[in-house]
Amino acid sequence: MHTQHHDSNLLPNEADIELSKPSKSRFLFLLFFFGTFIFAWAGCYNLYTHGYKSTEDIKVPDNTLYEPKYK
């Protein structure tokens, strides 16, 4: 038993990005743009939350101040 597939019964789907090159390129551009934006934002947020937080008071030598004090 042999069956034949007729493509004439199929209607083009307007939402299919494979049928329209401008829609496909716009979709890929927005995907790249927002993916890059979210990646950069997540990296900045990670640096902000895990940044260095000093808890000790650092002793600066008197001769390296803006107005140095010499002995």
Side-chain angles (χ1 to χ4, degrees), residues 19-34:
L19 295 178
S20 172
K21 285 190 185 274
S23 293
K24 185 176 183 179
S25 64
R26 185 181 308 124
F27 171 74
L28 292 176
F29 171 77
L30 290 174
L31 182 69
F32 170 76
F33 178 77
F34 285 113

Side-chain angles (χ1 to χ4, degrees), residues 1-7 9:
M1 188 159 144
H2 186 261
T3 59
Q4 293 181 351
H5 297 285
H6 296 286
D7 290 337
N9 294 341

Side-chain angles (χ1 to χ4, degrees), residues 2 8 21-22 25-27 29 32-33 36 41 44 47-48 50 52 54 60 64 66 68 71:
H2 186 261
S8 62
K21 285 190 185 274
S25 64
R26 185 181 308 124
F27 171 74
F29 171 77
F32 170 76
F33 178 77
T36 305
W41 181 84
C44 292
L47 286 174
Y48 175 74
H50 296 97
Y52 177 73
S54 177
V60 178
T64 60
Y66 183 73
K71 295 181 183 176

